[in-house]
Amino acid sequence: MQALAEDRTTVRVITSAAMRAAVEWTRRDEEPRAWRELSRMTGVLMYALGPGQGPSTPLEVVELLRHPLAKILGPAAGLGGLGDLVFLDQDDRLTPAAVEVGCEYTEALFATEDPGQGWLPSWAWQRAEQVQRRVFETLISSGTEEAYSAARRFLIENPAGDESGLTALMNAGRIRRAVAFGPIPADRVHRSPGGACWWPCPVCGWPMAVRGDDVACGYSHHQARFRADTHSAGLPQLVKISQARIRVPDPQPEHGARCVDMAVWRFITVPGVPELQLERRLLAVPGVAVTMWPRMDRIDLAVRTPAGDWEVDVKDHADPVTIAEGRCPAARDVVVPDYRRSQVSPLARMMPGKRVWTISGFVRRVRADVSGEAR
Ligand SMILES: [Zn+2]
């Protein structure tokens, strides 16, 4: 089979359809609508790839999902650096990369009502901004700017925890409940004679994925990888495997624990981590004030300094093209996490008129401006 997606629109449609098909395959046992949806995605792929070029049955699609996406995309895989993306692992579970990278390409595949809407997780069929808008709908329509940004900050800082602790925090901060918190997903719970427990990622706070005794955050850039030590009595303690300088979280009992769903984590918590990291580092510069998500998220940060004001959007995408071609950032200054420093030059080329920085580069610039002003 030869494949042939020539342009980025086709790449988006194919990646989107492949991801949906993978989610549908993982849910086929409990969801009667999964097979019909899988056939629909087979049709989408056949249409996108052209007659005789792509898979022609749902099972052929599923077989391809166990291989790098390059097998479907062909030469076009280079367009988004998507060639290595694999959707299903050897046990036919959705890979972390599918959620981390694939959902950047999530595309509305249906002009009218989406048939997957009733049961597919929203990250599989909605774009990030649609998920964000849905979560904050009531706050945007009726809340104040403060209520909006407090609720948003809460979902970034507390995406999981003990139910009574979460409620106490919300009451203390007068946080309006924007989303429901559900039980910890089964693939994030570790079971041993010591009991059932989960661990929050030390970077994002959401339950890490558990596979046997391997424990890791689904977002690879958090570099949170551990091994559960089940030899001692009680709940197992983690041993750090990654080189990152992160703390080792304590085990949390499953009973009474709650977390936001994967869409909220992926589209609000994960992108919020570098936003709040930038805020924290800017506030350490004397004389600097920061407002988060002013005017209900028109931009990410408004930065006020004695030397002048800045408007900033923080973008954490695997593929820089999805930043430039999506809802192009509104702010003049665009900041990427330090681990995306290789995107600075290409982004500056793609978005003339914007200034592009890493978090560290931007903080250095603000610090230099402020100390220049003080001289
Ligand atoms: Zn994490």
Side-chain angles (χ1 to χ4, degrees), residues 200-208 216-224 265 269-270 273:
C201 165
V203 178
C204 66
W206 205 58
M208 292 192 279
C217 177
Y219 199 68
S220 62
H221 290 286
H222 294 168
Q223 292 188 285
W265 168 72
T269 309
V270 166
V273 167

Side-chain angles (χ1 to χ4, degrees), residues 123-281:
W123 51 266
W125 62 276
Q126 278 192 319
R127 279 168 172 264
E129 56 266 30
Q130 291 174 295
V131 173
Q132 291 165 1
R133 192 145 274 277
R134 183 176 50 80
V135 165
F136 297 118
E137 219 154 49
T138 31
L139 283 172
I140 289 172
S141 58
S142 65
T144 61
E145 194 174 306
E146 289 73 31
Y148 171 83
S149 79
R152 185 163 188 142
R153 184 184 295 274
F154 188 83
L155 296 179
I156 300 166
E157 293 178 336
N158 305 282
D162 167 68
E163 183 164 34
S164 55
L166 288 168
T167 307
L169 280 172
M170 291 185 98
N171 291 341
R174 298 172 175 237
I175 310 289
R176 287 190 42 190
R177 193 172 281 266
V179 298
F181 281 68
I184 308 295
D187 61 352
R188 279 148 212 284
V189 175
H190 186 276
R191 293 177 196 285
S192 68
C197 68
W198 62 282
W199 293 271
C201 165
V203 178
C204 66
W206 205 58
M208 292 192 279
V210 173
R211 193 184 172 82
D213 288 335
D214 290 332
V215 180
C217 177
Y219 199 68
S220 62
H221 290 286
H222 294 168
Q223 292 188 285
R225 293 193 303 281
F226 303 89
R227 197 160 177 81
D229 176 8
T230 50
H231 293 100
S232 44
L235 293 175
Q237 299 294 324
L238 292 184
V239 177
K240 184 156 73 80
I241 291 176
S242 72
Q243 302 292 316
R245 287 195 350 230
I246 45 176
R247 72 187 164 73
V248 178
D250 291 326
Q252 311 290 317
E254 181 201 15
H255 182 73
R258 290 282 180 276
C259 66
V260 298
D261 74 23
M262 187 179 256
V264 172
W265 168 72
R266 180 62 189 84
F267 290 138
I268 294 171
T269 309
V270 166
V273 167
E275 293 171 356
L276 293 188
Q277 188 195 6
L278 178 59
E279 179 198 37
R280 205 162 44 244
R281 292 186 56 183

Side-chain angles (χ1 to χ4, degrees), residues 72-83:
I72 305 182
L73 289 175
L79 282 175
L82 288 163

Side-chain angles (χ1 to χ4, degrees), residues 1-339:
M1 182 185 74
Q2 243 209 317
L4 313 128
E6 311 99 16
D7 56 66
R8 285 199 62 93
T9 310
T10 316
V11 168
R12 282 194 84 105
V13 169
I14 290 172
T15 308
S16 218
M19 194 174 71
R20 280 178 69 140
V23 176
E24 287 148 15
W25 182 248
T26 60
R27 304 207 171 188
R28 67 192 183 285
D29 288 340
E30 73 270 12
E31 178 49 62
R33 288 168 285 189
W35 274 105
R36 175 175 297 186
E37 262 298 302
L38 195 54
S39 305
R40 235 191 287 267
M41 288 308 112
T42 308
V44 170
L45 287 169
M46 284 168 73
Y47 183 78
L49 289 163
Q53 303 287 358
S56 52
T57 66
L59 288 176
E60 279 177 37
V61 170
V62 170
E63 183 49 33
L64 284 168
L65 297 173
R66 299 180 182 124
H67 299 276
L69 190 59
K71 213 164 171 177
I72 305 182
L73 289 175
L79 282 175
L82 288 163
D84 297 335
L85 188 60
V86 178
F87 288 90
L88 295 172
D89 68 12
Q90 66 271 32
D91 299 326
D92 270 2
R93 304 201 318 181
L94 206 60
T95 61
V99 180
E100 176 171 330
V101 177
C103 70
E104 275 183 21
Y105 298 86
T106 306
E107 180 80 13
L109 294 176
F110 299 91
T112 52
E113 191 161 324
D114 192 314
Q117 191 169 342
W119 64 278
L120 269 180
S122 55
W123 51 266
W125 62 276
Q126 278 192 319
R127 279 168 172 264
E129 56 266 30
Q130 291 174 295
V131 173
Q132 291 165 1
R133 192 145 274 277
R134 183 176 50 80
V135 165
F136 297 118
E137 219 154 49
T138 31
L139 283 172
I140 289 172
S141 58
S142 65
T144 61
E145 194 174 306
E146 289 73 31
Y148 171 83
S149 79
R152 185 163 188 142
R153 184 184 295 274
F154 188 83
L155 296 179
I156 300 166
E157 293 178 336
N158 305 282
D162 167 68
E163 183 164 34
S164 55
L166 288 168
T167 307
L169 280 172
M170 291 185 98
N171 291 341
R174 298 172 175 237
I175 310 289
R176 287 190 42 190
R177 193 172 281 266
V179 298
F181 281 68
I184 308 295
D187 61 352
R188 279 148 212 284
V189 175
H190 186 276
R191 293 177 196 285
S192 68
C197 68
W198 62 282
W199 293 271
C201 165
V203 178
C204 66
W206 205 58
M208 292 192 279
V210 173
R211 193 184 172 82
D213 288 335
D214 290 332
V215 180
C217 177
Y219 199 68
S220 62
H221 290 286
H222 294 168
Q223 292 188 285
R225 293 193 303 281
F226 303 89
R227 197 160 177 81
D229 176 8
T230 50
H231 293 100
S232 44
L235 293 175
Q237 299 294 324
L238 292 184
V239 177
K240 184 156 73 80
I241 291 176
S242 72
Q243 302 292 316
R245 287 195 350 230
I246 45 176
R247 72 187 164 73
V248 178
D250 291 326
Q252 311 290 317
E254 181 201 15
H255 182 73
R258 290 282 180 276
C259 66
V260 298
D261 74 23
M262 187 179 256
V264 172
W265 168 72
R266 180 62 189 84
F267 290 138
I268 294 171
T269 309
V270 166
V273 167
E275 293 171 356
L276 293 188
Q277 188 195 6
L278 178 59
E279 179 198 37
R280 205 162 44 244
R281 292 186 56 183
L282 287 169
L283 289 176
V285 182
V288 171
V290 178
T291 308
M292 294 304 296
W293 314 292
R295 279 169 280 164
M296 316 279 193
D297 202 28
R298 196 184 61 79
I299 55 166
D300 291 335
L301 291 88
V303 185
R304 175 154 295 170
T305 84
D309 297 343
W310 304 74
E311 291 193 340
V312 179
D313 276 322
V314 180
K315 294 286 173 190
D316 184 5
H317 289 217
D319 177 4
V321 179
T322 60
I323 300 173
E325 76 180 2
R327 194 183 68 153
C328 190
R332 167 89 196 275
D333 289 281
V334 177
V335 173
V336 298
D338 289 0
Y339 51 75

